[in-house]
Amino acid sequence: YLGNADLNSWSTKWMSAIGMSVQTLTTVGYGSLYPNSPATWLLAAVEGVFGILCFSLISAVIYARFARPTARIAYSARALIAPFKEGWSLQMRMANRRTTLLMEMEARLMLVMADVDEQGERLNYYNLKLQLDKVSFMPLSWTLVHPIGPDSPLAGVGYDDLVQRRAEVILVLKGIDEGYMQQVITRRSFRFDEIVWGGRYVRAFSARNGSMRLDLNKLSDFTPVPAPERLPS
């Protein structure tokens, strides 16, 4: 039931029907083929509507997947228990891999440790206060510092405690991509075996010809320093 279709053989009938469906689904409508019965017109209408919906959905999925900005943050491979002022701190370092600037950056740090009580094992969550948890824009590199004081969940803790309680530090970072003006969120975790007990990060940037240069290969470099068996409480 197609006007101007080649009906001489089964193969040409199928090719005419497929060609009609493709033209209808893609809304091309060359006009060389046309429905000539109510049932064929109904099928063509259904194919036309679903063709528009399907291509709109595909376009939306492609846009959401590839056009949405993502944060490309380079993190240090290790977190450090490092000297800070007159005491100690938990530190981790990061840098922006994208050419676009990240604005209004905000960081949140959480400590997870396992404990055992009469009901079995449970996980305890602690918020770790940062010396600086917000910056207006992402600098060359950003070292997050959690000072370990009397009110810190890490006060009085030793490395063996981190291992036995399977400690994990979870970092959530969010900001606004300057190019897309949309919010991006990324996260990173450091397990107890990714925490160095006693270290100091090596400077990863240098001045050259009046400009600052960041070496991402040095982002994780550190020098060991003697640390107490247990952190001061």
Side-chain angles (χ1 to χ4, degrees):
Y1 298 97
L2 291 177
N4 203 28
D6 188 352
L7 306 177
N8 293 324
S9 64
W10 280 105
S11 60
T12 56
K13 288 181 181 179
W14 275 106
M15 290 301 297
S16 297
I18 292 174
M20 179 64 187
S21 292
V22 171
Q23 292 179 39
T24 307
L25 285 169
T26 56
T27 68
V28 173
Y30 289 119
S32 58
L33 299 174
Y34 55 89
N36 60 7
S37 72
T40 314
W41 274 110
L42 177 61
L43 179 59
V46 172
E47 286 185 348
V49 171
F50 275 92
I52 295 174
L53 292 177
C54 289
F55 283 106
S56 300
L57 180 61
I58 292 173
S59 300
V61 170
I62 292 175
Y63 177 82
R65 176 64 181 85
F66 296 103
R68 183 169 58 88
T70 56
R72 295 182 57 198
I73 303 295
Y75 294 96
S76 57
R78 297 283 189 271
L80 306 181
I81 298 296
F84 179 70
K85 295 183 178 180
E86 301 300 325
W88 292 86
S89 66
L90 173 66
Q91 298 184 9
M92 55 208 66
R93 190 158 63 175
M94 67 200 71
N96 183 18
R97 288 182 177 271
R98 297 182 66 93
T99 56
T100 56
L101 194 63
L102 292 175
M103 308 291 294
E104 303 298 331
M105 299 298 297
E106 181 179 351
R108 297 181 60 186
L109 204 60
M110 182 172 60
L111 174 66
V112 183
M113 291 195 293
D115 288 309
V116 178
D117 57 14
E118 63 277 0
Q119 296 182 352
E121 187 179 78
R122 72 177 189 278
L123 294 178
N124 291 324
Y125 298 85
Y126 307 93
N127 288 321
L128 300 181
K129 295 182 180 180
L130 295 171
Q131 179 208 20
L132 185 66
D133 60 358
K134 294 180 181 179
V135 291
S136 298
F137 63 92
M138 188 74 167
L140 290 176
S141 64
W142 188 11
T143 301
L144 293 176
V145 179
H146 165 65
I148 299 175
D151 58 344
S152 171
L154 292 172
V157 172
Y159 183 74
D160 292 339
D161 297 327
L162 298 182
V163 175
Q164 292 174 3
R165 301 174 68 180
R166 302 198 312 277
E168 183 176 5
V169 177
I170 300 174
L171 168 64
V172 178
L173 192 68
K174 65 179 180 179
I176 298 176
D177 187 280
E178 185 186 42
Y180 293 90
M181 293 307 295
Q182 294 184 24
Q183 188 179 72
V184 293
I185 300 176
T186 181
R187 60 186 181 274
R188 174 73 160 86
S189 68
F190 297 87
R191 286 165 36 105
F192 59 88
D193 53 354
E194 296 175 314
I195 299 176
V196 176
W197 195 265
R200 180 182 284 112
Y201 284 118
V202 176
R203 181 174 295 177
F205 58 89
S206 59
R208 181 178 298 180
N209 299 326
S211 61
M212 300 299 294
R213 178 181 178 182
L214 175 64
D215 189 353
L216 292 176
N217 294 324
K218 295 183 178 180
L219 194 66
S220 300
D221 291 354
F222 67 91
T223 56
V225 297
E229 184 176 347
R230 288 188 172 274
L231 296 171
S233 56

